[in-house]
């Protein structure tokens, strides 16, 4: 078999559809026991990339509200849980409170998380926002 130059290989790839190219990559990975995504992982591990990732963590815009415990006023907490978590029946709210620690709200904005935490703590619950 004649050896193809880089230019000839690129011309051949340009004629492939995305599906055909994807299939080629899979077969290439299996044949040579490599992963096409490896260079991206190396770039992410570079020192410059780590510095860029740190501000993203500080600007977190999705929070989870986790009920740690009901405290002494379990009935009040159940009422607030039903108010905070929409569509929850009395039985579901009671099971949620009794099964603490459990997440109540997931991936909500900071204002919603703080409002829910404030209401739950006022009812006597122990709550954390992560």
């Amino acid at each position: 078999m004649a050896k193809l130059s880089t230019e000839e290989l690129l011309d051949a790839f340009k004629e492939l559809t995305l599906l055909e190219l994807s299939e080629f990559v899979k077969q290439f990975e299996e044949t040579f026991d490599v992963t096409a995504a490896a260079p991206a992982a190396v770039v992410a591990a570079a020192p410059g990339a780590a510095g860029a990732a740190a501000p993203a963590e500080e600007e977190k815009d999705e929070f989870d509200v986790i009920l740690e415990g009901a405290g002494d006023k379990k009935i009040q907490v159940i009422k607030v849980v039903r108010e905070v978590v929409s569509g929850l029946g009395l039985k579901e709210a009671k099971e949620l409170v009794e099964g603490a620690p459990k997440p109540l709200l997931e991936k909500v904005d900071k204002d919603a998380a703080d409002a829910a935490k404030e209401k739950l703590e006022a009812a006597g619950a122990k709550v954390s926002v992560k």
Side-chain angles (χ1 to χ4, degrees), residues 1-5 8:
M1 181 177 175
K3 186 174 178 181
L4 298 175
S5 71
E8 291 170 326

Side-chain angles (χ1 to χ4, degrees), residues 15 17-18 22 24 35-36 47-48 53 55 68 71 88 95 97 99 101 103 117:
E15 295 176 14
T17 65
L18 285 177
S22 173
F24 169 77
T35 304
E68 300 294 339
L88 216 56
E95 289 172 356
V97 169
K117 180 180 179 184

Side-chain angles (χ1 to χ4, degrees), residues 42-60:
V42 172
V43 171
E57 289 180 22
E58 293 173 13
E59 298 174 19
K60 188 174 177 182

Side-chain angles (χ1 to χ4, degrees), residues 13 17 23 27-28 30 36 42 49 66 81 95 102 108 115 125 129:
F13 289 138
T17 65
E23 184 60 34
Q27 288 181 355
F28 186 88
E30 290 172 5
V42 172
I66 299 167
V81 166
E95 289 172 356
K102 292 251 182 172
V108 296
V129 176

Side-chain angles (χ1 to χ4, degrees), residues 65-78 80-81 93-104 116-117 119-130:
V65 178
I66 299 167
L67 177 67
E68 300 294 339
D72 296 336
K73 302 176 182 176
K74 190 164 91 174
I75 294 173
Q76 295 299 84
V77 173
I78 291 171
V80 175
V81 166
K94 182 178 182 241
E95 289 172 356
L96 194 68
V97 169
E98 289 175 346
K102 292 251 182 172
L104 293 180
K117 180 180 179 184
K119 286 181 184 179
L120 288 161
E121 286 179 341
K126 293 181 183 176
V127 182
S128 64
V129 176
K130 296 181 181 179

